[in-house]
Structures are given as structure tokens and as C-alpha cells.
Amino acid sequence: MYQLGLIGYPIKHSFSPWIHTHFLEKTGISGTYKLLEIQPDSNFETEMKKLKTEGLNGFNITVPYKQAIIPYLDELDSEAERIGAVNTVKYSDGKWIGYNTDGIGYVRSLKSKYPKLFINKSNKILILGAGGAARGIYDALVNEGFKYVDIANRTLESAEKIAQLKLKYTKTNTMTLQEAEQVVSHYDAIIQTTSVGMAPRPNEVIINLRGLQPHTIVSDIVYQPIETQFLTEARYLGASIHLGHTMLLYQAQYAFEIWTEMKAPIDQLDDELQNKLMEGR
Ligand code: ATR
């Protein structure tokens, strides 16, 4: 019997219980996944002490606690350590071990839709944004062995900080968003990692894609709306698009795998989640 859950605030509308309950059913594992909301004005240390008595086998952490949890963990997986944020904790041999499944989850989602992009590691990738999500995605792409992963951000210094994570095999140029607009035609994949374009401001786009090559894959991690204006513009320009809700499914799949050592199938969950998002839940 697996006792799983999610801590964060606000989490009432999270899709995680729905996704993990489905994974439990599909893998035939008995268990529960509950919401453990922690109010921002509460004492986090006290809440962590309480959480340690709950007997959880594992849990997810979302905003605003992905960094705050770190001092309460016994061990950190190498990726979580590099990213400096944790979204998954496993209880193992009396220890709390922290992981980050966002970047690898994102890369799995992209690979499942566009496996050909991953065949040639000289394909050029541009990440737009330099927040926590960008950091995880950059780290996972570099670990996949991509040789050229550039980062564009409104604030150049944040892009430069992420570029310091790179391994020796990856070349990374950093640039402003204005500079990125001039070079969109150079890339095989462009990944939008900021909240720009998210409801309630669905008309905003982070950069103009004029000049985009039709062979380029354009991806957006925003999933409300399900297809952002940025992706619609990319589609009009003939590009292939990658929808943001898939990252949600694959980061959950990887977390579930860490807890249970079982790879749960995504199959029809993808369509069901799209329907849920279109219905406004
Ligand atoms: P997350 O952890 O979800 O990625 P974050 O760490 O707050 O969120 O990062 C937000 C990212 O979105 C940053 O890259 C931010 O750019 P700055 O570093 O310049 O702040 C980017 N961002 C947010 N609003 C933006 C906007 N209106 N235009 C361009 N970039 C924006």
C-alpha cells in the first residue's frame, strides 16, 4: 500500500492526484495520493516535522516549496542538486531523498513525440526563459548529449547563470529575447519555458517567430490554454508543435517510477488530460 501525496500552495486544482491515481490503477499497485496543502503563512519547519510522521512512501512538491524542502532532506539526487530544486521525495531506508523530475519528464515528453530530433545530437536547440523550469530542461537536454543548447531570456544574467551548468560537450550561447527573434531560423527546436501566454493573458507571445523554418519543432510548457498563441503562430508558419500538458504527464510518470520502480503507461491519459483542459476541468 503506497501512501503518496503532494505538498504546495495552492494545490486544490492540481492534476497530480488524477494522474497518479490512474498510474496506481494501471500498474495494479494499491495506494493513495492525497493533497497536503501548506499555507504560506504557516511555519514550514513545524509542517515538515508533521509530514515526517505521516508515513508517506513518497510525495511531490510544487510551488512555492521546491527549494524550501531541501534543508529537510537526507540526500539529494545529482540532478536535483544541480538544478537546486526538488519536486519529488522518496522515503527509503529511513531517509528522505530528493529528486527533480521536471527536466527529464519534459525531455521524455519531447522524445516520445519527436524521436527523430534525438537522433542527431548536433541539432540546435533554443530555450526561451531562464527560471526554474528552464534550468531543469537545460540540464536534461545537456545530459541527453545535445551539443548546441542556447538560452534567451529577458534578463541576460539569469541565462548566463544557467549556462554555467553545462557539461564540456555542450556549447551554449546566451542572448536577449530581441536577439533571439533575429535567429529563430537557426534552430531545430525552440522551447518556451516561461509563463508568458498562460491564461488569463493568452494573447501574449514571448517572441515573434517571423522567419521560422518549417522543419523546426516549437514547444511550449504552458498548458492553459492547451495550445498557446505562440504555438498557434508556429503552426501557421508551418512548424511542428509540442503541447505543454505532456510535460505534466511525463514528469509524473518519472516520479511514480522513482517511488514504485514501475513505469506506468501514459497512453490514453494524454487525450483525457487534453479534454479536461479544454472543458476547463
Ligand atoms: P519558473 O520557476 O516557473 O520557471 P520563474 O523562476 O519565476 O518561474 O521564471 C520565470 C521566467 O519567465 C524567467 O525567465 C522570466 O524572465 P526574467 O528572468 O527576465 O524575469 C520569464 N518571464 C516572466 N514574465 C515574462 C515576460 N512578461 N516577458 C518575458 N519573460 C518573462
Side-chain angles (χ1 to χ4, degrees):
M1 177 83 183
Y2 274 85
Q3 306 267 17
L4 306 169
L6 170 67
I7 67 168
Y9 182 87
I11 51 175
K12 284 195 182 70
H13 297 293
S14 167
F15 288 106
S16 294
W18 179 76
I19 297 172
H20 286 289
T21 305
H22 181 95
F23 287 165
L24 286 166
E25 276 167 21
K26 282 281 170 188
T27 53
I29 294 174
S30 66
T32 57
Y33 186 100
K34 53 186 175 185
L35 292 179
L36 302 152
E37 195 159 72
I38 297 180
Q39 301 289 328
D41 59 0
S42 58
N43 181 320
F44 195 68
E45 190 168 347
T46 312
E47 295 296 326
M48 288 302 100
K49 279 189 187 145
K50 253 198 266 168
L51 199 64
K52 292 211 172 177
T53 65
E54 290 263 343
L56 294 173
N57 301 92
F59 57 94
N60 289 126
I61 306 105
T62 188
V63 281
Y65 304 121
K66 288 184 177 187
Q67 288 165 328
I69 187 87
I70 293 177
Y72 301 94
L73 302 175
D74 301 295
E75 279 174 30
L76 263 191
D77 158 77
S78 58
E79 174 143 48
E81 187 160 11
R82 282 195 303 278
I83 298 168
V86 165
N87 79 336
T88 301
V89 170
K90 178 181 180 152
Y91 182 75
S92 176
D93 294 332
K95 288 179 183 163
W96 269 8
I97 308 170
Y99 299 83
N100 194 310
T101 71
D102 286 333
I104 291 177
Y106 171 80
V107 167
R108 275 190 184 183
S109 78
L110 187 64
K111 200 177 201 169
S112 108
K113 173 108 185 169
Y114 295 108
K116 281 194 190 145
L117 177 71
F118 289 74
I119 293 170
N120 180 359
K121 295 291 163 50
S122 295
N123 279 330
K124 295 191 173 63
I125 302 181
L126 174 64
I127 292 176
L128 302 172
R135 212 173 164 84
I137 290 171
Y138 176 81
D139 188 69
L141 290 170
V142 163
N143 276 311
E144 274 287 324
F146 281 105
K147 290 192 199 135
Y148 307 101
V149 185
D150 293 347
I151 309 166
N153 194 45
R154 182 175 62 180
T155 314
L156 193 57
E157 298 81 65
S158 312
E160 284 162 357
K161 271 200 194 130
I162 297 185
Q164 288 164 6
L165 282 173
K166 70 170 175 277
L167 301 177
K168 57 187 170 191
Y169 306 110
T170 304
K171 278 206 175 93
T172 299
N173 293 315
T174 53
M175 65 192 94
T176 63
L177 296 173
Q178 289 75 15
E179 286 164 335
E181 285 188 339
Q182 307 307 311
V183 293
V184 288
S185 64
H186 297 185
Y187 294 96
D188 301 290
I190 299 178
I191 306 167
Q192 199 301 108
T193 69
T194 78
S195 56
V196 176
M198 191 190 286
R201 292 209 292 277
N203 298 323
E204 291 180 2
V205 288
I206 187 149
I207 60 167
N208 192 312
L209 286 171
R210 203 177 303 121
L212 187 73
Q213 300 275 351
H215 82 272
T216 305
I217 295 162
V218 179
S219 172
D220 198 328
I221 69 163
V222 170
Y223 56 86
Q224 273 165 326
I226 184 98
E227 182 182 303
T228 58
Q229 182 62 26
F230 186 63
L231 291 187
T232 303
E233 288 179 14
R235 199 157 51 75
Y236 285 155
L237 291 164
S240 303
I241 63 166
H242 180 54
L243 301 173
H245 74 281
T246 56
M247 176 179 177
L248 206 60
L249 295 171
Y250 283 87
Q251 63 77 26
Q253 183 197 50
Y254 182 37
F256 191 84
E257 206 173 310
I258 289 169
W259 297 324
T260 66
E261 286 162 23
M262 296 273 278
K263 193 163 183 171
I266 299 271
D267 53 38
Q268 81 271 26
L269 263 196
D270 188 331
D271 286 343
E272 285 180 28
L273 183 55
Q274 282 196 50
N275 289 338
K276 263 175 159 339
L277 286 164
M278 281 186 292
E279 284 162 12
R281 273 174 265 161

